[in-house]
Structures are given as structure tokens and as C-alpha cells.
Amino acid sequence: MPESWFHREFLTPRKLCFNVIWYGLHFFLFGYGWHSQATNARLAGLNTLKWSVWSSRGAGLVLAFDGGMILVPMLRNIIRVVRPKLAWLFPADENIWFHRQVAYQMAFWAMVHTTAHYVNFIRVEQTQIRKQTALEIHYTQPGGITGHVMLLIIVLMYSTAHNKIRAQCFEAFWYTHHLAFFFMIGLYTHATGCFVRDTAQPDFIPTFPFYSTDHCLGYLSWRFTIWPGILYFGERVYREIRARRSTKLSKLLVHPSGAMELRIVKPSFKYTAGQWLFIQVPDVSKFQWHPFTITSAPEDPYVSVHIRQVGDWTRALGDRVGAGPSVVQAMTQAALKAYDKDEKTTTALGRGDFVELDPASSTRPLPVVRIDGPYGAPAEDVFKAEVAVLVGAGIGVTPFASILKHIWYRQRRGDLGSLRRVEFFWICRDAPSFGWFQSLLQEVEAAQTDPNFLRINIYLTQKISEDMLWNIAVNDAGADYDPLTLLRTRTMYGRPDWKAIFGRIRQAIESGQYLPGSKSQLVTKVGAYFCGPSVLAKAIKEEAMAACTSNVKFTFAKEHF
Amino acid sequence: MGVFIWHDWARFVSLAASIYLVWAGYWAIFYRKFFWDIVGGIVRDPGGIQPSRGAEPFISVIVKAPIIQIMVIIVSLITLMVELPAPFIKGTSIYRSWTLRIVLLIFQAFLGVLLYQGTNGALYSLIAAYGYTMAQMKGETMPEPKKGGGRGDRA
């Protein structure tokens, strides 16, 4: 049963805390704006309009706040820098979520503000406290013009940003969202008409900001809200400059499962395991940036991403590099045939083989690529826990490629921090479609000297046919390697039982057999890291928290993409 | 590159426009004003614009009696019922019709543009109608509604 709305919003301490602060702040600002207008003796003229002007001013102050906040969660580079210090204070990975919360508030208060102004202006016209008509204020003064334009931009931006539209046509969302530029211009200039004044006529002056602050008594909120705008603009410029630094696509490997591996050399690009980047291929699209998880470890001499040809952009990229769907299909079949032969002789290799695309053999050289990043991801925390439980579901397994490689490198260097054991879980519907990941797991597994350090658990949730069942039953018995994944680890079928898994880990730690010597320790920290669908995240988090005891502490972190 | 499905987008704009117009119509009952009264009208102090004689028919259905306002609310509510959709409309031929939506949207835009409060809603309605026209031209069809609805399949 899904938890109720009330439970989610009010009975979860963090959420409750956010809700109280967030809505409290909005209502406080509204109340303060209302009060400061209603009690301002210099604005007595405007105050004859009574509640409509008070609410428009209150909502105006709220909107100024939201207008400043809307860009803050999008300052990706700044967030990346401050997140290690401030991760305890706010969930830095939830920046898009927060961006949406600001947007919802903006829509609501824009409704209040606009409604109130429609009343204000008709009352101005009727009472003629200013010798103007309502339509003059609406359509000839800066406040009215920018307001109507911003409302229209809101309709266009919100409607294309909806999950459904974004999923089916990212470009529509991406390009439309750049109307934000005009929106912000509108926001900063909204008050230049000097509607809030104590004189009959607006007091315009020839110098910046072109109205006299002696008589124009607005909030002057642009002085504050413009800073996130400037920072964001600066960040976009910086990203552009950084993206132009020398970048070379050095190798392009095609894995039999259809995934393309791009190995990119960019000396100025520094990152940690588990982070992601934006990639752009001008030959495919000049303006589009697509996010991908980095699959190489920071120790690798290149940056790699694995791209499956599932969307239109990725397919176009495949065509461009000469690894279109037909090529990949042919290769997959060739590989499968080879694999069928290999199976009889039970060699461990066969599926992990990849083919390097040779640029010399094709008529076009490898395309120019540009990368922007890195961003996000709490993977460095892995080394702060004694036991790391890494859970990847489906395509969410990708960041763990980098993390596992990184752990492997650090293991070789003997620099594992407090990390003693790694439990890796991979839940997927059909393992063979992630052939490239299996080959990576093979490498990592084969390199293990301590059999207890890394445990790989693979869960296959797909419904298996009777033929496959027999196949597994016959091939599995007595073989050194799992018939499906070719790992020493056995594949498990069905969904993992998290309660039992965390319970077992806790018991094993408490009895002292899991981590030799850990008895002397007071608290053992078990960090669970998850990447995948949020429904599963919730279930895992609950079970991890339920398994906490006084001397075994579970923490949970998840990654978004 | 990605396939932009016009009717999915137009639906959101249409929802925004219709909700805007219901709200605008509600306020227009209390603050009655014919948007185009400025044409040929004179400004009186106090009292605001006094519309010209030619605007008399509009004044009688907007200012003297809020008939247009109530009509705007009703038409927008009908649009909302088609768009959301209301349970009894889901799966019917009305629900699958782009033409009906275009007609409703243009009609509510026509009514909305008469009101002082309704011009933005009218503009958004026309944008939504444009979206549905594109959907019609591209030959998009409304898929059968999913049983149970929601995003449960993403789990």
C-alpha cells in the first residue's frame, strides 16, 4: 500500500521541517508585504484601494523571493563545490525537485498577484486616483507589459517542462526553457514603471535605474534577485569556456550488447567516481547537451561513457560514428554465435569482447565531442563507511562501474579509507543487455585477492521461460561460472528481500564474524548507496533504517539522473 | 529530434487557459468591465471609462448583467471536463475529438476576450487551439485511456 499523502508530507521529520520553513517563509513574506504596504503613510493614496493593493504587494514580495530562488538550484557548479560542506544541511541532489517547488510557489503567487492587480487597476480607473485607465496601466506601462509577458512565458515553460513532454521531446523542453532569459529580464524590470509611488506622476530620472528612489517606493527587489541571475549567467559562460578546452575522442568501442563506449581524453577534466557529465556532439546536434554517467575511474587516463542506442540522439550518434543499429545487430549476433560455441568449452570470456571502431577504415574521422562537468553524486562517501552496500537497479548500475573501478584502484594502492567490505547488488530485468557491465564485473571480480572484500549479488527479476529454466538448471550445476553472467557469483532470481539482507548484515557484524576485529569498535557504519527508480529507493531506505541498532548504523544515499 | 506530441502539450496549455478563464470569469462578476470599451469611450473623473453608444449591446450582457462571465465559466468548465477528463467522458468519442476541443477553445477565447479579466486566458486558449490544430494536421490520435491510470507502471 502506498503511504498516504499526509504521512509523506507531515510525519517525515525532514519533510515536515522543509514544509514548515518553506510555506512559513512564503506566508510570512506575504504578511510582511501586506503589512508594510498597509501601514505606509506615504502610500496613503494607493492604500485607498484597500485589500487588493495590500495583497498585490504581499504577493509581489513573495514573487521577488521566488524569482531570486528559482535559479539558485540550477547553479550546478557552485552546488558541486559547496555540497561536500553542506550536504548535511540540504539535499544537494534534490536540486531539480527544489527548482520545481519554487516554480509551483511562483505559479500560485503569480495568480494572487495578478488577480489583485486586475482589481487594483480597474479601481484606479473608476476612482481616478491617478488619471489613467486600467488598460493603459496593463498595456503601456512597464509593470503591466512585463507582467503579461512573464505570465505567457510561465504558461509556455511550465507546459513544456511537464514530465510527459520532457520525456517524449527533451528539445522542446530545453529550448523553451531558455525563455527564462526573457523571464528574468522581465522580473528585474517589472518595477521600473514606478507604480508604487507617493506622487501623482512617476518620478523618472535620466540616470540608472531611471526612476527616483525618493518617490518610487517599491521593494527594489531587483538589487537582490539579480545576483542569482548574474551567477547563473556567469556559470553558463564558464561552462561554455570549459567545454571548449581541448577534448579528443580517442577511442570508440562497440560492445556486443549494443552499448558504445566513448573514451575521451580531456586533461583539464577532473572528477571523482560516480559523477556524471554532459556530452555534446556538434555533428549530431549543435546545441544539445546530454547527461551521461562517467564509467571510468578517476585513475584511468581517459574519461569514458557508455551509451546505449535507445533514444533518437543516441541513435543519431551511432549512425554518425558508423555503428548504426544494423551494424550493432550484426555484431551482437556474431558475438552470440561465438558465445554459443564458447559455452561448450566453458571459457569465461566470449561475451565481454568488444570491437573497436577504427577511424581509418571509415570514410569520416571520429566526431568532435565536447564535455561539460562533472556534476553531482555522493560516491566519495563510500570510503567513510566500513561496509558499503551498493545497489544498482537496471540502468542505474552505471555509476557503480566507476565506483567499483575506483575501489579496485584504491585497493591496489592500499588506500581504502575505513572501507572494509563491499556488498554490491545489481537488480535488473535482463542481464544480457548490460553485457559491457558484466565484462567490467568480471575484471573486478577476477582481480580480488581477498575473497571477502567484494561480494557481487545479481538479481534477475525477469520472468524466465521453462526452456531457460532447464537451461540454467543443467548448465549451472557444477560449473565454475554462472551460465548467464559468466561471473563466479551465482545469479539469483526474483526480487531481493531487503529486510533479510540488511538483517543478515547486521547480525553478521554484531556476531563479529563479518568484520574481524570490529568487536572493539563502538559503532560500525554501513552505508547504502542506491541508484535507480525512486520507488525501490524508498523501500530500501525503510529497510535500512529499520535495521539500525545502537552499534550498527545504517545510512542511505541515492543518486538521481 | 524527439517526437513532440502536440496534443499532449496542447492539453496542458488548455488546462491552464481554462482554469485561468474560470478564475477570471469569477472575478469579472464582481468587477465588470467590457475590455473594448476604450474604443470610442470617454474617461470621466471619477467613474472611469464611459463606453460609446456602439458598445451598448456588450455593456448590457457584461456590465448590466454578468451573462458573458457566466458563459465563460461554463464553457471553460466544459473544456476542463473534456481535458481532465471527467469519468463519464473518458473513453467516449467526445474525449477523442480534437475538433471539439478546438471549437470549445476558440469559443471560450472569443468570450474571454470580451472581458477585461479574460484576455490572457483567451490568448492561452488560442495557443492551445493552435496546438490541437497541429495535432489534427499531424494525424495524432488520442490513445485509449489506461485502466487505473497514474504512473504505477514506472515502478
Side-chain angles (χ1 to χ4, degrees):
Chain A
M1 198 191 116
E3 58 178 351
S4 73
W5 169 84
F6 181 79
H7 190 275
R8 192 175 63 237
E9 297 291 329
F10 292 102
L11 298 179
T12 328
R14 275 181 88 103
K15 206 63 186 290
L16 177 69
C17 193
F18 173 81
N19 281 330
V20 168
I21 293 175
W22 185 239
Y23 294 102
L25 195 60
H26 277 86
F27 282 108
F28 166 77
L29 286 174
F30 179 71
Y32 176 76
W34 173 298
H35 177 78
S36 70
Q37 168 71 31
T39 55
N40 192 336
R42 291 181 66 192
L43 295 172
L46 266 188
N47 280 329
T48 57
L49 301 175
K50 299 231 165 44
W51 56 267
S52 61
V53 83
W54 301 333
S55 15
S56 71
R57 290 274 283 151
L61 185 62
V62 179
L63 284 170
F65 169 72
D66 283 334
M69 289 307 279
I70 192 90
L71 286 176
V72 170
M74 304 322 283
L75 298 169
R76 295 181 189 278
N77 287 291
I78 293 175
I79 288 176
R80 184 178 56 87
V81 174
V82 301
R83 64 170 300 151
K85 282 137 209 144
L86 294 175
W88 56 272
L89 182 64
F90 64 94
D93 291 321
E94 311 276 359
N95 60 339
I96 305 279
W97 177 83
F98 182 68
H99 182 71
R100 284 210 317 272
Q101 301 309 306
V102 179
Y104 298 147
Q105 288 301 310
M106 221 169 186
F108 175 78
W109 293 105
M111 185 272 285
V112 175
H113 185 75
T114 311
T115 307
H117 268 322
Y118 265 92
V119 176
N120 281 338
F121 300 163
I122 197 171
R123 302 260 296 125
V124 167
E125 179 183 299
Q126 282 166 356
T127 58
Q128 287 291 303
I129 53 163
R130 287 178 188 166
K131 310 298 166 211
Q132 285 163 339
T133 63
L135 297 194
E136 270 170 10
I137 308 177
H138 271 296
Y139 298 107
T140 62
Q141 294 183 5
I145 296 170
T146 54
H148 287 295
V149 169
M150 283 194 284
L151 282 177
L152 178 62
I153 291 178
I154 283 186
V155 170
L156 296 176
M157 275 169 79
Y158 285 34
S159 58
T160 48
H162 189 275
N163 202 21
K164 206 170 176 181
I165 307 292
R166 218 174 33 192
Q168 58 189 224
C169 180
F170 189 80
E171 297 83 357
F173 154 73
W174 178 244
Y175 293 133
T176 312
H177 239 64
H178 281 82
L179 284 173
F181 182 79
F182 298 101
F183 183 89
M184 297 322 280
I185 299 281
L187 183 74
Y188 304 141
T189 57
H190 191 56
T192 50
C194 190
F195 181 77
V196 183
R197 59 180 183 251
D198 61 354
T199 49
Q201 291 301 316
D203 185 7
F204 292 127
I205 52 171
T207 52
F208 189 80
F210 309 114
Y211 54 86
S212 153
T213 48
D214 295 335
H215 298 289
C216 297
L217 305 173
Y219 298 117
L220 303 172
S221 60
W222 66 272
R223 293 181 179 182
F224 307 97
T225 55
I226 204 165
W227 291 110
I230 289 172
L231 283 176
Y232 184 76
F233 192 78
E235 207 172 89
R236 288 297 291 264
V237 172
Y238 172 64
R239 279 165 67 175
E240 189 60 30
I241 293 169
R242 197 174 52 180
R244 280 167 194 271
R245 288 192 192 141
S246 92
T247 310
K248 198 174 141 263
L249 180 58
S250 72
K251 255 185 195 161
L252 199 134
L253 313 174
V254 179
H255 294 264
S257 53
M260 294 181 288
E261 182 184 348
L262 269 57
R263 290 192 176 170
I264 299 155
V265 178
K266 181 168 186 173
S268 61
F269 191 84
K270 298 277 174 288
Y271 61 101
T272 58
Q275 287 187 309
W276 53 276
L277 50 72
F278 282 109
I279 190 162
Q280 187 198 44
V281 183
D283 277 4
V284 178
S285 164
K286 270 200 163 56
F287 301 107
Q288 288 177 36
W289 291 92
H290 289 254
F292 288 98
T293 313
I294 301 171
T295 51
S296 55
E299 288 85 354
D300 284 325
Y302 53 83
V303 185
S304 75
V305 287
H306 282 76
I307 300 174
R308 288 209 302 152
Q309 297 183 27
V310 283
D312 41 80
W313 184 83
T314 49
R315 254 181 242 127
L317 176 65
D319 281 337
R320 168 62 188 85
V321 299
S326 53
V327 180
V328 170
Q329 207 180 4
M331 278 168 54
T332 310
Q333 264 160 21
L336 279 177
K337 254 184 213 139
Y339 165 61
D340 283 344
K341 277 180 203 145
D342 281 350
E343 205 173 37
K344 293 185 185 99
T345 52
T346 48
T347 43
L349 294 169
R351 189 176 292 171
D353 286 353
F354 51 76
V355 178
E356 186 183 338
L357 278 188
D358 186 5
S361 71
S362 87
T363 43
R364 298 169 80 182
L366 284 177
V368 175
V369 295
R370 294 165 71 193
I371 54 177
D372 171 38
Y375 298 108
E380 270 301 285
D381 303 346
V382 167
F383 297 96
K384 288 188 195 132
E386 274 102 25
V387 180
V389 181
L390 312 176
V391 187
I395 187 76
V397 80
T398 45
F400 296 112
S402 175
I403 295 168
L404 286 175
K405 267 192 195 173
H406 183 54
I407 289 175
W408 180 71
Y409 273 110
R410 286 184 67 156
Q411 205 182 358
R412 285 209 307 189
R413 285 206 306 262
D415 169 32
L416 277 174
S418 48
L419 191 63
R420 303 277 299 278
R421 285 191 73 149
V422 178
E423 295 275 346
F424 177 64
F425 289 88
W426 181 17
I427 306 146
C428 66
R429 198 165 287 167
D430 55 335
S433 66
F434 296 101
W436 63 270
F437 193 78
Q438 288 171 23
S439 56
L440 181 130
L441 277 182
Q442 276 173 9
E443 278 174 43
V444 177
E445 193 186 46
Q448 290 304 318
T449 43
D450 175 5
N452 283 327
F453 179 72
L454 173 71
R455 272 241 299 269
I456 299 173
N457 308 276
I458 296 172
Y459 285 85
L460 202 65
T461 56
Q462 171 191 51
K463 280 219 165 59
I464 48 176
S465 64
E466 206 183 336
D467 289 344
M468 197 171 161
L469 193 75
W470 279 108
N471 200 351
I472 292 163
V474 171
N475 284 307
D476 204 15
D480 284 344
Y481 295 94
D482 187 87
L484 261 172
T485 58
L486 303 179
L487 291 171
R488 276 196 290 263
T489 314
R490 299 286 150 188
T491 304
M492 278 162 278
Y493 300 91
R495 291 181 185 191
D497 175 6
W498 295 110
K499 200 185 207 65
I501 289 166
F502 286 120
R504 264 205 315 274
I505 293 175
R506 188 191 63 201
Q507 269 179 8
I509 294 170
E510 279 174 342
S511 64
Q513 46 177 263
Y514 194 70
L515 298 171
S518 71
K519 276 256 158 155
S520 51
Q521 240 171 317
L522 287 174
V523 179
T524 308
K525 214 176 134 199
V526 181
Y529 302 90
F530 175 78
C531 188
S534 54
V535 186
L536 197 51
K538 202 172 279 168
I540 296 175
K541 186 176 181 178
E542 268 165 26
E543 295 303 343
M545 292 305 128
C548 280
T549 56
S550 55
N551 47 7
V552 182
K553 234 181 98 197
F554 285 83
T555 60
F556 179 84
K558 68 173 173 177
E559 199 195 326
H560 292 251
F561 11 37
Chain B
M1 299 255 303
V3 184
F4 186 71
I5 301 175
W6 283 91
H7 75 260
D8 275 340
W9 171 70
R11 175 169 171 259
F12 296 127
V13 181
S14 166
L15 285 172
S18 305
I19 292 168
Y20 192 113
L21 279 178
V22 171
W23 184 242
Y26 171 78
W27 282 89
I29 292 172
F30 301 102
Y31 297 91
R32 298 176 192 175
K33 181 170 164 61
F34 172 48
F35 183 81
W36 305 98
D37 61 1
I38 200 153
V39 180
I42 47 157
V43 183
R44 190 182 292 163
D45 180 10
I49 287 198
Q50 305 301 308
S52 70
R53 283 236 155 261
E56 202 56 52
F58 292 108
I59 300 303
S60 59
V61 288
I62 294 172
V63 180
K64 296 208 175 101
I67 293 170
I68 299 288
Q69 284 90 324
I70 290 169
M71 278 174 77
V72 138
I73 294 177
I74 292 172
V75 177
S76 307
L77 284 175
I78 293 172
T79 315
L80 280 176
M81 278 196 287
V82 176
E83 294 287 14
L84 277 173
F88 57 89
I89 285 178
K90 204 172 185 175
T92 62
S93 60
I94 295 176
Y95 173 67
R96 288 191 297 269
S97 165
W98 302 148
T99 320
L100 174 81
R101 286 179 169 80
I102 296 169
V103 169
L104 278 171
L105 285 164
I106 289 179
F107 187 45
Q108 78 186 31
F110 170 71
L111 293 173
V113 85
L114 297 176
L115 301 174
Y116 161 67
Q117 287 92 342
T119 45
N120 278 343
L123 176 64
Y124 307 157
S125 299
L126 289 180
I127 294 174
Y130 167 76
Y132 279 124
T133 311
M134 291 303 287
Q136 178 86 298
M137 282 160 62
K138 304 241 168 195
E140 288 173 12
T141 51
M142 182 63 101
E144 282 299 308
K146 274 187 213 124
K147 290 277 180 287
R151 289 155 67 182
D153 56 340
R154 286 163 59 99

